[in-house]
Amino acid sequence: MIGSALKKLDLRQLLLRGETAPKPRPRRTVSDWLPYAAAAFVLFIVACALIPGAIAPYSPTEMDTTAVMAKPSLTHLFGTDYYGRDVFSVVVHGSRDSLLIGIASVLAGGLAGALLGAVSGYAGGVADTILMGFVEILMTIPGILFALAIAAVLGPSLGNIVLAVSISSVPGFARVFRGQIMSIKGRPFITAAKSAGAGKLRIFFRHVLPNAWSPLLVMGTIGLGTSILIGSGLSFLGLGVIKEIPDWGTLLSQGRGYLTVAWWMSTFPGLAITLLVLSVNLIGDQLRDRLDPKRGRA
C-alpha cells in the first residue's frame, strides 16, 4: 500500500513539473536474440575452419576398429563412421573446405557481378541492353543446375567448384548492383556534381560507387549461405574434392547408405549445413534492416 502510494506521488510530481513518466523498456523476445545466436554460431564455424585441432577431440583420420559406427555418446559426441572415425572431429575439420567454397565464391561472383552491373547501369544505352540481355539469359537457368553443368565439364576439384558457384551467382549480383547504380546516378547530388564540371569517371568513383555498396554487402552475406548450400550439393553429387578429410557435402553422401543403421553419419553434417545457412541468412536480414532505415521502421 505504501509503495503504490509513493509511486502515485512520484507520478504527480512529474506531471506538476511538466515531465513525462519514463517509458518502460521493451522486453526482449526470442527473435531479438536470434541474430546474436546466429553470429555466435558463425564465429564458432570460422574457429573450426581456422583452428580445427584446438576444437576437435580426435584426429579426423584416426580410426578405432573397436568403435565402428558407434552411437553418439560422451566419448564420441556425434558417434563414429564405418571406419571408426569420430564424426564430430571430421565435421570440424571438414568445415574448412565448405566455408572456403562459400567465401571464395561470394567474393569472386560478387566482384564480377558488381563490375558487370556497374558498367551496365552507369553506361546505359546499347551497353546496358547487351549486358543485361546476357544476364537475363543466365538467370533463366537455375543456379544449382548452372553450377552442376560447369562442375561436370571442368571435373571434380576445389577450384572448379568455386568457379562453378561463382559464375552461377554473377547474374544476381549484377542485377542488384545495376539497379542501385541507376538509382544513385539520377539523384540531385549527382546532377550538382555534373553542373560543377566533374567528369564521368570522377563522379562514378567519388559519388556513385561509395553510395552503392550497401545492397551488395547484404546480398553477399545472404549469398554466402546459398554458395555453401550449392557447393555442398555438388560435393554430395560426387563433383567435390576427393580428399582424406571430406567436406560436409561429401560426408552427407558417404552416410546416406547407412541411414537405417547409423543415422548420425549424415544427420550431423546436414545439421551443420542447415544451421550455418540459416545463421548467415539471419545475419543478412539484420544487416539489411540496419543499412535500410526505412525497412527497419516498417
Side-chain angles (χ1 to χ4, degrees):
M1 293 291 291
I2 297 174
S4 60
L6 288 174
K7 287 181 180 179
K8 291 180 180 179
L9 183 60
D10 291 339
L11 288 175
R12 288 175 183 174
Q13 289 177 352
L14 288 172
L15 291 173
L16 289 172
R17 293 174 189 172
E19 300 177 5
T20 57
K23 295 181 179 180
R25 292 182 180 180
R27 292 184 179 179
R28 289 185 176 272
T29 60
V30 175
S31 60
D32 294 327
W33 292 105
L34 280 178
Y36 297 101
F41 183 76
V42 171
L43 289 176
F44 173 71
I45 296 299
V46 171
C48 290
L50 295 177
I51 48 171
I55 298 174
Y58 301 94
S59 168
T61 58
E62 181 182 346
M63 292 181 283
D64 185 2
T65 55
T66 63
V68 175
M69 289 194 290
K71 294 181 179 181
S73 62
L74 293 177
T75 306
H76 301 284
L77 293 178
F78 290 177
T80 62
D81 61 7
Y82 43 75
Y83 290 124
R85 298 178 301 181
D86 182 64
V87 174
F88 177 73
S89 300
V90 179
V91 169
V92 168
H93 283 267
S95 63
R96 178 173 296 175
D97 283 347
S98 298
L99 199 60
L100 179 62
I101 290 171
I103 294 174
S105 301
V106 166
L107 289 176
L111 289 176
L115 178 62
L116 194 64
V119 172
S120 177
Y122 195 66
V126 179
D128 182 34
T129 303
I130 294 173
L131 291 175
M132 281 302 105
F134 176 68
V135 168
E136 287 176 2
I137 291 173
L138 293 180
M139 291 194 74
T140 59
I141 307 173
I144 180 65
L145 185 60
F146 193 34
L148 178 62
I150 296 172
V153 171
L154 298 178
S157 74
L158 183 62
N160 290 342
I161 286 184
V162 171
L163 181 61
V165 179
S166 301
I167 294 175
S168 67
S169 65
V170 166
F173 283 107
R175 284 187 64 88
V176 169
F177 204 59
R178 170 185 175 268
Q180 186 70 2
I181 292 291
M182 292 185 70
S183 172
I184 291 173
K185 76 175 186 178
R187 294 182 182 177
F189 67 89
I190 301 297
T191 305
K194 291 179 181 178
S195 302
K200 288 186 176 181
L201 289 179
R202 179 180 176 82
I203 291 173
F204 178 75
F205 287 106
R206 292 290 300 273
H207 302 288
V208 177
L209 197 59
N211 292 287
W213 283 110
S214 56
L216 200 66
L217 181 62
V218 173
M219 187 175 180
T221 306
I222 297 176
L224 176 62
T226 304
S227 297
I228 292 172
L229 197 60
I230 294 177
S232 299
L234 295 178
S235 297
F236 179 81
L237 294 173
L239 297 173
V241 188
I242 302 174
K243 295 173 63 177
E244 192 175 17
I245 304 174
D247 64 356
W248 291 345
T250 305
L251 286 174
L252 272 174
S253 180
Q254 290 176 352
R256 62 180 174 175
Y258 299 88
L259 286 174
T260 55
V261 293
W263 54 266
W264 51 89
M265 288 175 57
S266 285
T267 299
F268 289 112
L271 190 61
I273 296 171
T274 303
L275 289 177
L276 182 57
V277 173
L278 182 61
S279 298
V280 170
N281 286 341
L282 284 172
I283 294 172
D285 289 339
Q286 188 72 12
L287 189 62
R288 179 176 53 192
D289 293 339
R290 293 292 179 89
L291 294 176
D292 188 358
K294 293 181 180 179
R295 185 181 179 89
R297 289 194 301 265

